[in-house]
Amino acid sequence: MERQIAQSLEQFGLLELFPAHVQQEMVVRTYTGGERLFSQGDEADTLYLLIKGKAKISMLSPEGKRLILAFKTPFDIVGDVEYVRNCPFINTVEAVTDLVVICISYEALRREMADNAAWLQFLLQTITTKFETKTRAMNFNLLYTVDVRVASYLLSMTPAQQMLESTSLVDMADLIGTSYRHLNRVLQQFEQAGWIVKKRGKIILLDRDALLEQAGQNIYE
């Protein structure tokens, strides 16, 4: 396990950030698709470094509506905001695909890294990036029509393949800020245009160039 941790940290340029004695405090955990790492409101005591797979970040609004905030892929961190604020987990995080994370307790970080300038700078950069990403996503949903957002979503979710699982259209509608019914209408329009085909619980992309033109080069990240 120690070798896997060191190799993963080196892969993402973090080996020098965490001294050897801090790496010894780390553990590797795996999650299967659909399994939760933690839920909104849980006591926060662990930082998660995402090194393999895809995770979904969501929250429950005061009105009881489930909101999909983002999808995370390597390299990314969850639990950093809670670490700084010393508060319960703000969001729910669950694995979309099989997921591998490196975990380290807040207690170990505060004990070993509290006065580490490089670590504090790293935290500042990661949290700032999260706020920038959230702002871009909010602006994207406000400024662009649903068909643009759907095309962008399909492209961003299939960077290396032509097929997307369509069993979670409600999640997709929540993420892009529209209704399930409106999303279905747009997907039907795309299918009639010959850009996609919905088949056996999957969306198959037939014309990426047309979708990219529809998206206007605006891709969810």
Side-chain angles (χ1 to χ4, degrees):
M1 182 179 293
E2 291 182 3
R3 182 177 180 183
Q4 180 183 3
I5 289 171
Q7 289 176 337
S8 297
L9 292 177
E10 184 175 21
Q11 177 185 355
F12 296 108
L14 302 175
L15 188 60
E16 294 184 0
L17 179 63
F18 297 102
H21 67 281
V22 176
Q23 294 177 34
Q24 293 175 0
E25 303 272 359
M26 297 177 171
V27 295
V28 176
R29 295 180 186 168
T30 59
Y31 298 85
T32 58
E35 187 176 0
R36 287 190 176 184
L37 283 69
F38 52 81
S39 297
Q40 181 178 341
D42 286 351
E43 180 181 354
D45 58 8
T46 303
L47 188 77
Y48 298 80
L49 311 180
L50 175 58
I51 59 174
K52 185 178 181 181
K54 179 177 292 182
K56 180 172 66 178
I57 316 296
S58 65
M59 68 174 294
L60 196 66
S61 73
E63 297 77 21
K65 180 178 176 58
R66 184 172 54 86
L67 304 172
I68 310 300
L69 302 178
F71 291 94
K72 298 292 186 180
T73 55
F75 173 77
D76 217 316
I77 297 179
V78 290
D80 49 345
V81 174
E82 292 84 352
Y83 170 77
V84 172
R85 293 185 58 193
N86 194 26
C87 67
F89 283 118
I90 300 169
N91 304 313
T92 294
V93 177
E94 64 183 80
V96 176
T97 65
D98 290 345
L99 198 68
V100 181
V101 296
I102 295 175
C103 301
I104 182 168
S105 70
Y106 290 173
E107 189 277 330
L109 288 171
R110 293 187 175 112
R111 184 181 70 247
E112 304 292 348
M113 302 286 283
D115 297 324
N116 187 307
W119 162 243
L120 297 177
Q121 181 65 28
F122 174 76
L123 271 181
L124 177 62
Q125 291 176 347
T126 57
I127 292 174
T128 300
T129 299
K130 285 187 176 182
F131 281 114
E132 290 176 350
T133 300
K134 183 176 181 179
T135 300
R136 286 198 302 269
M138 292 175 63
N139 289 339
F140 190 83
N141 282 348
L142 288 171
L143 296 174
Y144 293 94
T145 59
V146 173
D147 53 344
V148 171
R149 302 195 316 254
V150 172
S152 174
Y153 178 89
L154 292 174
L155 290 166
S156 65
M157 290 297 292
T158 56
Q161 71 272 7
Q162 296 294 108
M163 187 166 59
L164 174 69
E165 298 287 344
S166 64
T167 54
S168 57
L169 293 184
V170 174
D171 285 354
M172 181 176 171
D174 286 345
L175 177 63
I176 65 177
T178 189
S179 67
Y180 176 82
R181 183 174 297 180
H182 196 167
L183 172 62
N184 260 325
R185 285 200 299 268
V186 172
L187 290 175
Q188 289 172 4
Q189 293 171 5
F190 287 1
E191 192 165 18
Q192 291 170 1
W195 300 349
I196 67 169
V197 61
K198 293 174 65 179
K199 184 178 181 181
R200 296 179 181 176
K202 303 180 187 299
I203 298 175
I204 301 172
L205 277 60
L206 302 177
D207 193 338
R208 293 187 71 92
D209 290 339
L211 289 169
L212 189 59
E213 182 177 356
Q214 181 71 27
Q217 307 293 326
N218 298 290
I219 306 299
Y220 278 110
E221 298 291 347

